[in-house]
Amino acid sequence: QITLKESGPTLVKPTQTLTLTCTFSGFSLTTGGVAVGWIRQPPGKALEWLALIYGNDGKHYSPSLKSRLTITKDTSQNHVVLTMTNVDPVDTATYYCAHRQNSAFDYWGQGTLVTVSS
Amino acid sequence: QTVVTQEPSLTVSPGGTVTLTCASSTGAVTSGYYPNWFQQKPGQAPRPLIYTTSNKHSWTPGRFSGSLLGGKAALTLSGVQPEDEAEYYCLLYYGGAWVFGGGTKLTVL
């Protein structure tokens, strides 16, 4: 079955770079049309879509965060990594990764809470 | 900046029917926006319900249905159950990027 799990630091200082890893199983990013995306949710607030990567290395980013985000993949290791530069306390959120196929975000990780604070 | 708008809150009686909508600041929502709908309960990850307007996942209860209604994407719950009380989010596609709506808090009372 398809599973995804996010990992990374729980606490990051302002201005630092945040690196999150999504480790998945049950599917291959080399399969046509399959992608992995990142979504976040600040405490008590709405979901926000961040980025998406395909097996052919095609990438898409949220226009409002594009300058700060980089998404990469390691197909052999079944990892997708999201990097966010110059973090701020407003970036405090639960970060989720999700499997996307046939325009459906159908499987999600449990999420990882990242707090940005000095 | 593209904005996706949902009703902030709705209340429905058990057994009743309610429709949640999802509008785009760019104009009418069509099937090309591939609307997705998610349910989220406190402390849980979002649970996918509907994709590409009206397609259900294998785990989606039959009382949930998706459609296009008056230029918006819509999620209809028929025969609402107490366990349907949750936050509901729509997600729309904009030629590469995706945008979530602000969510609708559904109260079953």
Side-chain angles (χ1 to χ4, degrees):
Chain A
Q1 82 274 23
I2 291 175
T3 64
L4 304 97
K5 187 171 184 179
E6 308 84 354
S7 60
T10 57
L11 181 64
V12 183
K13 294 186 187 317
T15 75
Q16 289 186 337
T17 294
L18 169 66
T19 299
L20 295 169
T21 299
C22 176
T23 303
F24 59 85
S25 64
F27 68 94
S28 172
L29 254 182
T30 61
T31 301
V34 171
V36 171
W38 282 95
I39 301 99
R40 72 177 179 180
Q41 185 172 37
K45 296 190 176 181
L47 297 167
E48 180 180 18
W49 183 86
L50 300 176
L52 187 78
I53 189 166
Y54 292 88
N56 64 2
D57 216 34
K59 303 169 187 179
H60 296 285
Y61 295 99
S62 166
S64 61
L65 291 167
K66 185 174 184 177
S67 63
R68 298 174 52 212
L69 296 177
T70 302
I71 189 169
T72 59
K73 62 177 175 61
D74 182 339
T75 306
S76 65
Q77 297 293 319
N78 282 358
H79 288 165
V80 169
V81 175
L82 182 73
T83 301
M84 177 183 289
T85 60
N86 192 28
V87 297
D88 181 271
V90 300
D91 296 313
T92 294
T94 296
Y95 287 76
Y96 298 97
C97 62
H99 168 270
R100 202 226 70 165
Q101 186 167 14
N102 297 327
S103 299
F105 286 83
D106 49 5
Y107 295 92
W108 291 56
Q110 64 191 24
T112 185
L113 176 62
V114 178
T115 301
V116 180
S117 174
S118 56
Chain B
Q1 180 167 333
T2 302
V3 177
V4 177
T5 301
Q6 299 181 241
E7 298 86 0
S9 64
L10 292 170
T11 300
V12 61
S13 299
T17 297
V18 64
T19 296
L20 290 64
T21 67
C22 176
S24 172
S25 62
T26 61
V29 176
T30 65
S31 59
Y33 285 78
Y34 304 114
N36 279 241
W37 289 93
F38 304 88
Q39 177 193 66
Q40 188 180 34
K41 296 183 179 180
Q44 297 182 14
R47 176 192 182 203
L49 293 174
I50 300 288
Y51 64 100
T52 56
T53 305
S54 59
N55 291 286
K56 299 180 186 182
H57 296 285
S58 58
W59 53 81
T60 303
R63 61 184 180 275
F64 291 87
S65 63
S67 64
L68 295 176
L69 199 62
K72 301 178 184 180
L75 176 70
T76 299
L77 288 71
S78 305
V80 171
Q81 302 296 306
E83 61 265 30
D84 297 333
E85 182 162 296
E87 192 86 21
Y88 291 84
Y89 293 95
C90 67
L91 176 65
L92 300 180
Y93 176 70
Y94 291 88
W98 295 77
V99 180
F100 279 97
T104 295
K105 181 173 174 54
L106 182 66
T107 301
V108 181
L109 204 58

